[in-house]
Amino acid sequence: MSVLSAASEQQIQDVLVSSGMIDANKLAEAKKISKAKKKPLFGYLVDNNYISDEQLTKANATVTKMPYVNLTQAKIDPKVLQLLPQDIAERYMAVPLGEMQHRLVVAMLDADNVQAVDYLSNRIGRPLKVYVASESGIRQVLRQYEARLDTQMESVLKQEAADTETANVEADKQNGVKATFNQDSNAVKTIVQDSPISKALSAILEFAARNRASDVHIEPLEHELKVRVRIDGVLREIMRLPKNTEPAFISRVKILSNLKIDEHRIPQDGGFTVIVDKKPIDLRIAISPTVWGEQVVIRLLDKTGTSLKLEDMGYAGRSLRLIRKGTARPNGMILTSGPTGSGKSTSMYALIQEIKKDAINIVTLEDPVEYKIEGINQIQVNPAVGLTFANGLRSILRQDPDVVMIGEIRDKETAQLAVQAALTGHLVFSTLHTNSAAGILPRLLDMGIEPFLIASTVHTVIGQRLVRRVADTGRQTYQSSSVETKAIQDTIGHLLPATAEQMPATAQDLGYKSLPLRSQTAYTLAKGTDSPDTPGGFRGRMGLYEVFEVTEAIQALIMKRATSSEIEKVAESEGMVNMRQDGYLKSLQGATTIAEVNRVAAEDNA
């Protein structure tokens, strides 16, 4: 929104009140607070959810008498998007809506800026019909440019494939890029920074970053190259490329990752960093040979959008209390379990943030260092030079640490050293790959750790999974079906309050403001609306957790080398809420869905 005069600001306030977007008393209260904090009033109103960005834009359009359009749910025809190049659309926050009387209809954030409109019209070479739209609405349309990735790249890559057969070899002197060999025809092609292949790779990585993808999979098939991205834990295909682009495409990734471009027989690992929307994103590259060529998996590590607060990650009630009790202890082990990509490392970083202070020395040993935290001494494992978890841990214990974080306990030697560190007065955080929290203790037994050592060192155990959150946009509430109602009562009926009088105490114990009664015939649940921006009605992820303390009863089971199911039964009898139950409780809060919880935390993993 452009700079407003005092009169215009007052007019917008009047429109907000008269149209019912905000109560006059709340507006007066917000004006006092924003003035005291020396913040712009409208920015304060939006940031603190008094009004939405969309409501403010509509009120401003009413005052300035500009035509307004709401784009938050708009789906623009790909052919219409082609009328305005993506780079211009992003630079001027302007998106095309169609054509009207030989004029291009455009929605802009700053539509009343006459100079910007004239410049844009001259730049495009066409007269414009301009509407005003909110920033969130325009960005929703800008994301649809990315959804056209396959059609955008198809023509240039087909041309690239045709040119590969006859291309001349010429080194890129500026970037020091070496020639790449085409495996099929032994032709040679130089990959330069502005080549179609490089542009295609950049577009794929930008698409992945802007859509919060955690991984990109580039998979060779017999006759083509398939590209998939993992968004909120679920893979989806975004494009397919011609087969004869594969050698140049894979070689470009290898060059950027400092890998051997002429090695096709063995797996290779590397990495590099890209800048998307002025944010650095670290990429971890894993290349493996398959029957149809080389597969590339790219892990995106975007540190800017991750909250490291336990509450924001989904910890609540009993689980949160046990974790904070565990971190308050001066020594012993806190262990986290779950499959790859379940957020174990993020949980450990959050625990470190909880206890970080100048009075203690925290040293970590990681592979890789995913988040760089100020005030923490972080060490990157490097097996190529002999810096393994075990060797690194020996070195760490000579650095006078108070707290030690080990990225993962993978072998007997590392497990023994971690136990020794806990026995000698250190607080140790680490992770293991098991299906449940209770599975951690038998896993340590399998590694050859004596039962009495496990019983005397491990005091807090965490199991976790990640589920998709129901998106705020397009959210709907509904009453549970008979099948869902039965599943809720069977899974968490014993946790829900039996009477209204019990509800406040029970809800507080479980970490929520309110809970339904166990005897209800239906429960209010939430679901999202499927859209390009919210696939399946979801956006973002949160954790499901089970946390238990190693009590005397569980110590006795460890000494008897009990199974994980026996340990889990005792932990639940002592009050542990398992992952499936945690998910159902969060479903009742509208955070996720019953189906999503069942997908992630199946009965045998509960």
Side-chain angles (χ1 to χ4, degrees), residues 92-284:
Y92 294 99
M93 290 299 286
V95 292
L97 304 181
E99 293 181 284
M100 181 188 298
Q101 298 174 346
H102 307 293
R103 302 165 80 188
L104 180 61
V105 181
V106 173
M108 292 182 66
L109 182 63
D110 199 10
D112 57 348
N113 186 331
V114 179
Q115 289 181 326
V117 173
D118 286 344
Y119 183 84
L120 187 58
S121 178
N122 292 331
R123 178 70 175 77
I124 299 170
R126 297 184 63 178
L128 304 180
K129 169 67 176 174
V130 181
Y131 285 77
V132 65
S134 68
E135 180 177 355
S136 57
I138 289 174
R139 291 197 183 281
Q140 197 275 135
V141 176
L142 286 174
R143 283 191 286 270
Q144 294 176 40
Y145 275 97
E146 309 297 341
R148 296 172 52 245
L149 201 57
D150 52 349
T151 55
Q152 287 177 339
M153 291 301 150
E154 186 175 3
S155 60
V156 294
L157 288 173
K158 282 182 177 177
Q159 183 61 45
E160 172 77 6
D163 293 346
T164 298
E165 301 299 328
T166 57
N168 294 322
V169 180
E170 182 180 348
D172 183 345
K173 296 179 181 178
Q174 180 178 356
N175 297 312
V177 178
K178 297 183 179 180
T180 305
F181 290 87
N182 185 314
Q183 293 172 319
D184 297 329
S185 63
N186 294 323
V188 182
K189 171 71 177 177
T190 299
I191 303 174
V192 293
Q193 189 63 37
D194 58 351
S195 71
I197 289 292
S198 293
K199 289 179 180 178
L201 178 60
S202 296
I204 290 170
L205 294 177
E206 286 182 13
F207 171 84
R210 288 173 177 165
N211 285 274
R212 304 168 291 101
S214 60
D215 302 89
V216 176
H217 291 236
I218 302 168
E219 302 166 336
L221 305 178
E222 184 176 5
H223 301 296
E224 55 194 343
L225 199 62
K226 182 168 69 174
V227 181
R228 297 192 291 172
V229 295
R230 188 181 296 278
I231 298 175
D232 294 335
V234 178
L235 276 170
R236 63 186 179 97
E237 184 177 322
I238 59 169
M239 66 189 297
R240 293 199 177 203
L241 307 176
K243 182 68 173 179
N244 46 11
T245 64
E246 179 186 327
F249 201 91
I250 302 301
S251 294
R252 181 63 188 160
V253 175
K254 289 181 178 179
I255 288 167
L256 292 170
S257 309
N258 287 322
L259 302 177
K260 295 178 181 179
I261 61 174
D262 58 346
E263 178 57 77
H264 310 292
R265 301 163 301 171
I266 61 174
Q268 296 189 75
D269 298 324
F272 60 97
T273 301
V274 295
I275 306 294
V276 178
D277 293 335
K278 299 180 181 179
K279 299 186 300 182
I281 298 177
D282 290 342
L283 306 178
R284 284 162 48 192

Side-chain angles (χ1 to χ4, degrees), residues 54 72 82 88 101 178 180 199 204-205 221 275 283 294 306 349 366 371 391 402 466 495 562:
E54 203 63 44
T72 53
Q82 293 177 10
I88 296 177
Q101 298 174 346
K178 297 183 179 180
T180 305
K199 289 179 180 178
I204 290 170
L205 294 177
L221 305 178
I275 306 294
L283 306 178
E294 291 180 278
T306 303
Y349 284 117
E366 308 171 55
Y371 301 92
N391 291 338
D402 298 290
L466 292 177
L495 296 175

